[in-house]
Amino acid sequence: MTEYREADFSRLKTVPVAKRPNKVDASLLARPPQSSDRSFTAFLDALPAILAAQDLRYVVDQIVAAAGKRAIVAMLGGHVIKVGLGPLLIALMERRAITAIAMNGSAAIHDFELAAFGGTSEDVAAGLGDGTFGMAEETGREMNAALARGANAQQGAGEALSEYLSARKELPGREVSVLLASRASGVPVTVHAALGAEIIHQHPTADGAAIGATSHRDFKRLAGILPDLDGGGVVLNLGSAVLMPEVFLKALTVARNLNGGRPKNFTACDCDMQRHYRPRVNVVERPTLAGGRGIQLTGHHEILFPMIAWAVLAKLGK
């Protein structure tokens, strides 16, 4: 027969609640809207001073503190542009609350199409069925021409694409293009290709040598930007689950190799709709082991990033 033993709860030692440290008290709780102030700043201040809400405030404060003083690097996945956040990125660039943009090829394509044609984002499932997905003639022809020209001129991909767009006669999306804004504001933009992963690579005019040369130059340029994160800068990974975290990690080790271990003591924040291994390890954790702080904020891009951008712009506007 099996013998069962039970713990004797009558012997348990309890402690007075007054002696127990509490992590939550009434001063940290959320507040409802007040009729006297319904501004965005009031909304932000009314969030609970707990967990992700407090992390959000911290990231905002670090960006505001770094604006105009240290590097603030925004790394972009394609969805960030596709869901309409370009105008907010541009506003931050104009206030030097973003000092460099590093985007994957998908983000560059969406931005280029918005600028040149006024629209982007096709129905992938429908096009895949008959083999027309990604086969837009003008997108592939023009972007590949820009990259070929850029390779010959010893340019990076971001510089080549922004220069091409600036010379284009018809630009229905001029005001919402991050590529064009980078040229106008003097904020460097780099584009990091993954060969075979972007629709312009399946176009008849695709030139692997030009794509590789311009993207590799932009890798060098990103590595040249990162030392300015040292001592208070901010890097934001916005919606890139694999490519930009991998590029950032390698660019960071190049920067530290060439600059005596710098940059250190910066804020690294990953913002995405779900949490992934590479952004957590390659952006948030490993780069800040030598100093600084890493944060993950999780939510839909079209909701989360506007909160960050509006909060930063509100504080800078004071």
Side-chain angles (χ1 to χ4, degrees), residues 112-313:
F112 188 98
E113 288 191 331
L114 281 168
F117 314 122
T120 190
S121 187
E122 62 187 297
D123 187 330
V124 176
L128 190 62
D130 61 7
T132 58
F133 160 59
M135 296 297 178
E137 166 59 25
E138 294 85 350
T139 302
R141 172 165 42 82
E142 293 192 36
M143 291 188 73
N144 283 317
L147 294 173
R149 186 181 304 171
N152 289 332
Q154 303 296 304
Q155 294 177 327
E159 180 185 10
L161 291 170
S162 62
E163 182 178 280
Y164 180 92
L165 283 173
S166 69
R168 200 176 191 274
K169 292 182 179 180
E170 295 185 11
L171 287 169
R174 177 190 297 273
E175 301 303 320
V176 300
S177 169
V178 173
L179 287 167
L180 283 169
S182 74
R183 186 174 178 85
S185 63
V187 171
V189 59
T190 59
V191 176
H192 305 271
L195 282 168
E198 296 145 24
I199 63 168
I200 64 170
H201 301 166
Q202 65 204 41
H203 192 273
T205 61
D207 181 345
I211 295 165
T214 53
S215 184
H216 189 248
R217 186 169 299 278
D218 272 351
F219 174 64
K220 292 179 179 180
R221 290 180 173 183
L222 179 60
I225 289 166
L226 295 186
D228 289 338
L229 288 171
D230 191 65
V234 180
V235 59
L236 302 169
N237 182 53
L238 306 175
S240 179
V242 177
L243 187 65
M244 292 315 305
E246 290 292 347
V247 170
F248 173 69
L249 195 71
K250 280 70 172 184
L252 180 63
T253 197
V254 170
R256 285 177 170 171
N257 183 284
L258 296 174
N259 293 276
R262 295 184 301 110
K264 296 178 181 176
N265 299 309
F266 57 85
T267 299
C269 179
D270 173 56
C271 300
D272 210 338
M273 59 190 295
Q274 57 186 347
R275 296 192 173 186
H276 299 279
Y277 171 80
R278 282 179 175 83
R280 174 176 61 82
V281 174
N282 290 357
V283 177
V284 173
E285 294 180 357
R286 287 172 176 161
T288 58
L289 288 174
R293 183 176 172 187
I295 288 174
Q296 284 186 290
L297 295 173
T298 307
H300 289 283
H301 308 306
E302 61 272 26
I303 297 173
L304 176 59
F305 186 68
M307 291 180 66
I308 295 172
W310 273 61
V312 169
L313 293 169

Side-chain angles (χ1 to χ4, degrees), residues 77-147:
H79 270 71
V80 173
I81 300 299
K82 189 169 77 170
V83 299
L85 302 180
L88 296 178
L89 292 164
I90 293 168
L92 292 171
M93 292 160 67
E94 291 172 346
R95 295 299 304 273
R96 288 299 183 266
I98 290 178
T99 62
I101 295 280
M103 59 175 71
N104 67 11
S106 173
I109 290 167
H110 287 307
D111 190 84
F112 188 98
E113 288 191 331
L114 281 168
F117 314 122
T120 190
S121 187
E122 62 187 297
D123 187 330
V124 176
L128 190 62
D130 61 7
T132 58
F133 160 59
M135 296 297 178
E137 166 59 25
E138 294 85 350
T139 302
R141 172 165 42 82
E142 293 192 36
M143 291 188 73
N144 283 317
L147 294 173

